Amino acid sequence: MAKNKYSVLLPTYNERQNIAIVTYLIVEAFCRLNVDFEVVIIDDNSPDGTQEVVKQLQAHYGADKILLRPRAGKLGLGSAYVHGLKHTTGNFVFLMDADLSHHPKYIPDFIQKQQETGADVVTGTRYGGGKGGVHGWDLRRKLTSRGANFLAMTLLNPQVSDLTGSFRLYKKPVLEKLMSMVVSKGYVFQMEIIVRARRAGFHIEEVPITFVDRVYGISKLGGSEIAQYLKGLLFLFFTT
Amino acid sequence: MNGGSAGRISPHLKQEQFLFVPYVTWKVLVRSSDCTSPQGARMRRVWTWLGWGSAIAALWVAALQADLSEAQRGVIQALPIWALVVFGCYSLSVVGYEIMFFPACPDEAEKLQKDIRVATAYLNKHGISVSK
């Protein structure tokens, strides 16, 4: 039986403070499992020196384990994934945030769930499963999140409890196929992937994860973001 | 021919209406389940919603054609508004419940800080910069 190799795609922009810590935690999680892995960091030319830290990590862990595939500028999350996918050599791909809101300690849970069920996509849920949760959200943020989730569930019926979550494990061919179908950006991008995966008949499973919001203070949910979300919802309603 | 009250339309028109709406509904439902073209598959959700919407609308129209008392007719006429209000109340209840019992994990932030400290110690020991 062929051995599995797990690639972790980390798009970064100004993550100098966190990139070393998140890489350490990822490596620790995989080494406990004793599986083959690699971490692919796609940096959009961060001005704060993120790439220098990544080079130090490469010197320590090995350039076969930590791959740096930078880009010329901020070109968006979707294209970062496409770019990173071209450089992965694993047969499974993790997508996650690099700012420590997703904790790499859940990586074994994803792998176990995938092996138990043979799923094509394993998505982390902050809302379901009893063990999941969110820390750092005030009442207004919770209201926006639950309201948006309810609207999306009613219109799109994706049969997952967390539509906008971005901590997921995919089989590599599945992710490549989905990336060729998806056109949206931002929150809608994460929703579109799951909705299109449902439509295409892929097997989707969920694992509970915890989410510690570290960015909220900086990126408020403004009126324009809500408008963008609603437009994206309607687009998905009419095209899936 | 019965006399009929002021709100009744002629029996002749009623006959055609009975056939037309269900026929359209059937066509839409069949169309929604038979989306083999790429364009059709893209619009599958819209067709399914239209199909079910048309079927329910047909039932409502048919119910209004039946021989009802004024009170019964009033209830049937109010059903769409009533359904909208019920859905609104249901939505508010569900969202309100989910906010009230929002899954929180207060100790996760502390665990994360602890993990960050362990990671920082290791990284500093090996000369990898973890600036603040």
Side-chain angles (χ1 to χ4, degrees):
Chain A
M1 196 164 73
K3 268 197 68 172
N4 291 326
K5 182 169 179 180
Y6 296 87
S7 306
V8 181
L9 289 188
L10 285 181
T12 59
Y13 187 74
N14 283 346
E15 291 292 354
R16 188 200 172 89
Q17 292 179 15
N18 296 321
I19 189 63
I21 299 175
V22 84
T23 308
Y24 168 84
L25 291 170
I26 292 174
V27 171
E28 192 194 26
F30 277 112
C31 284
R32 269 189 276 125
L33 290 176
N34 200 20
V35 297
D36 200 7
F37 72 98
E38 63 182 0
V39 180
V40 182
I41 296 168
I42 305 113
D43 186 66
D44 285 353
N45 205 17
S46 301
D48 71 346
T50 304
Q51 293 188 26
E52 273 74 63
V53 181
V54 178
K55 295 204 176 95
Q56 291 175 339
L57 289 164
Q58 281 184 308
H60 179 75
Y61 287 114
D64 59 325
K65 286 275 182 281
I66 315 292
L67 280 64
L68 175 63
R69 297 291 178 265
R71 300 196 298 173
K74 251 189 144 189
L75 298 171
L77 194 63
S79 56
Y81 288 142
V82 172
H83 179 80
L85 263 180
K86 289 201 272 255
H87 300 283
T88 56
T89 55
N91 57 335
F92 286 97
V93 181
F94 271 99
L95 299 186
M96 60 186 290
D97 291 350
D99 61 357
L100 290 173
S101 49
H102 293 144
H103 199 307
K105 68 183 176 185
Y106 293 106
I107 285 177
D109 294 350
F110 280 84
I111 295 178
Q112 185 188 6
K113 187 69 161 187
Q114 196 285 324
Q115 286 181 335
E116 276 170 11
T117 59
D120 299 308
V121 181
V122 182
T123 176
T125 171
R126 296 163 289 181
Y127 306 139
K131 286 200 307 181
V134 180
H135 176 83
W137 281 1
D138 60 3
L139 177 63
R140 210 179 91 152
R141 184 71 179 88
K142 287 181 191 176
L143 173 60
T144 340
S145 157
R146 284 326 227 163
N149 210 47
F150 179 82
L151 197 57
M153 295 286 212
T154 312
L155 285 179
L156 301 176
N157 192 28
Q159 288 146 5
V160 297
S161 58
D162 188 352
L163 264 174
T164 55
S166 45
F167 193 174
R168 295 181 179 151
L169 169 64
Y170 302 83
K171 287 183 181 168
K172 184 169 169 184
V174 171
L175 182 58
E176 285 169 336
K177 175 142 206 282
L178 288 171
M179 293 304 302
S180 71
M181 298 197 273
V182 164
V183 296
S184 317
K185 310 205 184 314
Y187 296 110
V188 187
F189 169 82
Q190 306 295 350
M191 286 198 307
E192 191 177 357
I193 283 205
I194 277 292
V195 172
R196 296 223 184 266
R198 258 304 158 214
R199 262 289 182 250
F202 290 125
H203 182 178
I204 303 176
E205 291 286 339
E206 287 192 302
V207 296
I209 59 163
T210 54
F211 183 91
V212 179
D213 199 322
R214 318 190 80 217
V215 191
Y216 175 49
I218 306 163
S219 60
K220 300 253 178 237
L221 275 179
S224 73
E225 268 160 331
I226 295 180
Q228 223 178 19
Y229 175 82
L230 291 173
K231 270 198 287 192
L233 258 187
L234 284 178
F235 167 77
L236 284 180
F237 180 74
F238 281 104
T239 61
T240 56
Chain B
M1 292 290 177
N2 41 354
S5 54
R8 300 285 293 274
I9 50 178
S10 77
H12 181 68
L13 198 56
K14 186 173 74 176
Q15 198 80 10
E16 284 171 13
Q17 249 184 350
F18 253 122
L19 290 174
F20 175 69
V21 176
Y23 172 66
V24 166
T25 309
W26 176 79
K27 279 229 79 163
V28 171
L29 281 171
V30 167
R31 173 80 195 268
S32 102
S33 60
D34 184 25
C35 286
T36 48
S37 73
Q39 268 65 39
R42 268 164 68 85
M43 297 275 287
R44 200 173 120 184
R45 196 185 306 277
V46 180
W47 284 117
T48 315
W49 278 55
L50 279 178
W52 282 108
S54 306
I56 295 170
L59 271 175
W60 182 68
V61 168
L64 279 178
Q65 309 301 354
D67 193 0
L68 301 171
S69 72
E70 284 307 311
Q72 288 170 323
R73 180 171 303 281
V75 167
I76 303 283
Q77 278 173 341
L79 271 182
I81 311 285
W82 172 85
L84 211 61
V85 172
V86 165
F87 177 71
C89 294
Y90 165 76
S91 310
L92 285 175
S93 308
V94 167
V95 176
Y97 174 86
E98 285 177 337
I99 295 175
M100 193 147 69
F101 297 103
F102 200 95
C105 45
D107 47 342
E108 278 299 320
E110 287 165 30
K111 286 189 201 167
L112 178 63
Q113 289 306 317
K114 176 166 156 281
D115 287 334
I116 291 178
R117 279 195 294 272
V118 169
T120 310
Y122 175 93
L123 292 164
N124 283 331
K125 199 168 75 171
H126 290 91
I128 300 169
S129 62
V130 189
S131 64
K132 247 301 152 216

